[in-house]
Amino acid sequence: MHKTVVLNVVGLTPSLLKHAPFLSKWVASGQMAAINPVLPAVTCSVQASYLTGKYPQDHGVVANGWYFRDECEVKFWRQSNKLVQGQKIWEAVRALDPSFTCANLFWWYNMYSSVDISVTPRPMYPADGRKIPDIYTQPAQLRFQLQKRLGTFPLFEFWGPKTTIRSTQWIAQAAIAVEEMSSPTLTFVYLPHLDYCLQRVGTEIGAIARDLQEIDAVCQDLIQFYESRSARVIVLSEYGITPVNRAVSLNRVLREHGYLAIREELGRELLDPGASTAFAVADHQIAHIYISD
């Protein structure tokens, strides 16, 4: 069985690839294939489809978050792998070859997974309300080994206005550490840097040239490292980012027609989904409309 590594460079498209010198040269020496993404083409849904070979209506991950009817709450970015229904690729391969091992670094729904090694962001939430950067790992002691070697995971640079290449570099270095310690048969590595940059400044090359150079350098280090260990490397993406100019504010429409319930807290209005007749949960490409009756 060939050692294989899958690098998930989110937001990378052929039009952007030509501005990444190492990756474009590396791709030219191999093969490139087009993938028709599932709907919705958002992180959690696409990753679950890659890992199960099923569509969202079958594996259950219909967006990055959804309405949990039994709790009357909208929840995004849950982390339990139990939410992904269906056999995962590593489970299928392990049934054929018991010596097979798999590591998953930062692909989503990575807690309580059946992979041999998992690393995923998981902040600490003390009783005083603070949010402290940390990670969750399986095996548990790997958490301490990685942060002793690499420092604390830079959670606040992973997503949001303070996003930098540092979080992606940390994940890449963690992948190298896992390979050196355990040498899994199959390794999944999530490299998120382009994603938020594209959402923040758009797809104009001049605005993201530096970000492309940064992710290109990380990929070069990882690919050369893994290929030196005779691994086959696959670089893929989940979706491409495109401009939007006709967004529809669905909940405003539903509110105008009296379907939405609002709760006021500290002078601010919040959606009260459990009391609403109908409301929308919007997530980038699509929205789900939930109806109480």
Side-chain angles (χ1 to χ4, degrees), residues 201-224:
V201 300
T203 57
E204 200 277 314
I205 293 300
I208 59 168
R210 178 180 174 182
D211 301 307
L212 281 165
Q213 293 170 3
E214 290 174 335
I215 195 67
D216 191 53
V218 171
C219 289
Q220 179 175 356
D221 290 344
L222 277 177
I223 290 171
Q224 291 178 342

Side-chain angles (χ1 to χ4, degrees), residues 130-167:
R130 287 178 297 158
K131 183 177 182 178
I132 302 174
D134 201 357
I135 55 174
Y136 179 93
T137 69
Q138 175 61 37
Q141 64 267 25
L142 181 61
R143 171 189 171 204
F144 303 102
Q145 294 169 335
L146 288 177
Q147 298 202 106
K148 180 179 180 180
R149 175 170 170 168
L150 304 174
T152 301
F153 174 64
L155 177 71
F156 300 127
E157 297 173 56
F158 178 66
W159 183 252
K162 293 182 65 178
T163 296
T164 73
I165 193 63
R166 277 211 322 128
S167 61

Side-chain angles (χ1 to χ4, degrees), residues 172-199:
Q173 290 302 309
I176 290 173
V178 167
E179 170 63 23
E180 291 175 342
M181 287 187 281
S182 304
S183 189
T185 318
L186 174 62
T187 301
F188 294 97
V189 185
Y190 179 61
L191 302 174
H193 182 61
L194 274 185
D195 189 28
Y196 193 81
C197 298
L198 288 165
Q199 294 189 47

Side-chain angles (χ1 to χ4, degrees), residues 95-116:
L96 300 173
D97 181 358
S99 67
F100 168 87
T101 56
C102 182
N104 185 337
L105 288 98
F106 283 73
W107 284 48
W108 214 248
Y109 298 118
N110 200 14
M111 290 181 65
Y112 318 117
S113 167
S114 56
V115 292
D116 301 278

Side-chain angles (χ1 to χ4, degrees), residues 55-98:
Y55 287 103
Q57 66 261 32
D58 298 316
H59 59 59
V61 181
V62 297
N64 292 322
W66 54 88
Y67 181 54
F68 288 70
R69 289 184 181 273
D70 52 349
E71 299 183 61
C72 294
E73 292 184 4
V74 176
K75 295 183 178 181
F76 273 69
W77 304 110
R78 302 295 89 193
Q79 291 190 273
S80 171
N81 192 255
K82 310 299 182 184
L83 290 169
V84 184
Q85 301 166 32
Q87 186 181 52
K88 318 306 188 297
I89 186 172
W90 55 82
E91 295 168 343
V93 179
R94 191 183 291 138
L96 300 173
D97 181 358

